[in-house]
Amino acid sequence: MGIALGATLNLSGQDSITNAATTIVSRQVAAYNARDLDAFANCYTENVWVGRFPSNLFYKGRDTLRQKYSDYFDRVANTQVEVLQRIALGNIVIDKELATDGEQKTHQVAIYTVTAGGIAQMNFIFDEDVPDPVPIVAQQLEAYNNRDIEGFMKTYTEDVRLFNYPDQPLSQGQAPMRANYKGFFENTPDLNCEIKNRIVIGNKVIDQDYLTINGKPYSAIAVYEVEAGKIARVTFIQP
């Protein structure tokens, strides 16, 4: 798990926020499947942002969303979404979905950011036919738990980039990453990460993890993007 101390999230006080977030996301899924446009659109904030991961904007605004889905429902008779997996932490809900679009079925992931007013952001990841990204992510997790800095860094590309969600740069290249994690490994003798939930789509692995760091529990989400057999980008998602 490629998360250092500064990128972790304490577990306390998150359950009620998570429950509220999953409730509104489940409500919009149900409204979508019922093709109830009013109920569906009302699950979103007035200025909702809709795009493709990490930050490619499709459009903004509930009125625009409503019009696009109205046109879509008019054009396509058979529309359905089945939630296959869900990761939820704080106000972030990540669903892996099987989407039916007429006669076509595809896998996609939707990352929802929920506020008091509804869903404020819906960020899609679409499936791709690529080599399995899981083995290299598993290799880096093993090295992470062993605090093996050399084995850990070997799982990353030379120009690896780290971000806070959706696209706030943290570092680029092996040198700053190595310096950060070397000190972290040396100062955290009880370091341990366990995968609570994992979503795989295309070249991306989305992990929800429980960590132990100096006697304290933390939870975190990371999106790993694998290119040519190594991890090229990691995006940390925090509420």
Side-chain angles (χ1 to χ4, degrees):
M1 147 56 79
I3 288 185
L5 183 58
T8 57
L9 177 74
N10 202 303
L11 290 169
S12 62
Q14 292 297 314
D15 286 350
S16 61
I17 298 172
T18 300
N19 289 338
T22 56
T23 295
I24 190 67
V25 171
S26 294
R27 187 184 305 157
Q28 69 87 33
V29 171
Y32 175 89
N33 286 337
R35 298 167 66 92
D36 184 340
L37 188 58
D38 287 337
F40 176 73
N42 286 338
C43 291
Y44 294 86
T45 62
E46 183 178 355
N47 297 312
V48 60
W49 184 102
V50 181
R52 181 169 185 163
F53 179 88
S55 57
N56 181 19
L57 175 66
F58 290 161
Y59 57 87
K60 285 184 178 180
R62 185 169 55 208
D63 290 343
T64 302
L65 177 143
R66 179 187 174 89
Q67 186 59 56
K68 286 185 176 292
Y69 278 93
S70 176
D71 294 343
Y72 176 60
F73 288 159
D74 288 343
R75 189 175 70 253
V76 182
N78 185 21
T79 57
Q80 194 79 9
V81 162
E82 178 186 356
V83 177
L84 303 177
Q85 290 177 263
R86 172 169 287 173
I87 290 174
L89 180 64
N91 70 321
I92 303 294
V93 179
I94 305 173
D95 281 353
K96 184 175 184 179
E97 303 168 342
L98 178 63
T100 299
D101 179 8
E103 299 302 315
Q104 184 177 1
K105 292 182 181 290
T106 58
H107 287 98
Q108 63 187 31
V109 165
I111 303 174
Y112 301 97
T113 303
V114 183
T115 66
I119 299 169
Q121 187 176 83
M122 180 167 58
N123 211 347
F124 287 102
I125 303 174
F126 300 108
D127 202 6
E128 301 173 86
D129 185 14
V130 295
D132 185 3
V134 170
I136 194 68
V137 175
Q139 183 179 328
Q140 70 85 39
L141 175 62
E142 181 178 7
Y144 180 89
N145 281 336
N146 289 332
R147 297 183 295 134
D148 174 6
I149 188 64
E150 296 303 326
F152 182 70
M153 294 308 303
K154 284 179 181 178
T155 65
Y156 291 89
T157 61
E158 287 298 320
D159 61 346
V160 58
R161 295 176 296 162
L162 307 184
F163 294 84
N164 274 332
Y165 180 77
D167 60 357
Q168 178 187 351
L170 294 174
S171 71
Q172 180 169 352
Q174 288 238 355
M177 184 176 177
R178 175 186 288 273
N180 183 25
Y181 281 93
K182 186 174 187 294
F184 178 55
F185 287 171
E186 290 173 351
N187 294 312
T188 317
D190 65 342
L191 180 64
N192 187 68
C193 174
E194 296 181 8
I195 297 171
K196 178 183 178 183
N197 204 347
R198 169 173 283 173
I199 290 173
V200 181
I201 185 163
N203 73 327
K204 298 173 182 64
V205 178
I206 306 170
D207 278 351
Q208 181 181 12
D209 304 280
Y210 279 153
L211 302 99
T212 300
I213 299 173
N214 292 325
K216 295 181 180 180
Y218 294 85
S219 188
I221 296 174
V223 182
Y224 301 96
E225 299 182 50
V226 177
E227 298 176 4
K230 290 195 173 184
I231 301 167
R233 175 181 175 128
V234 185
T235 302
F236 303 112
I237 301 179
Q238 303 181 60

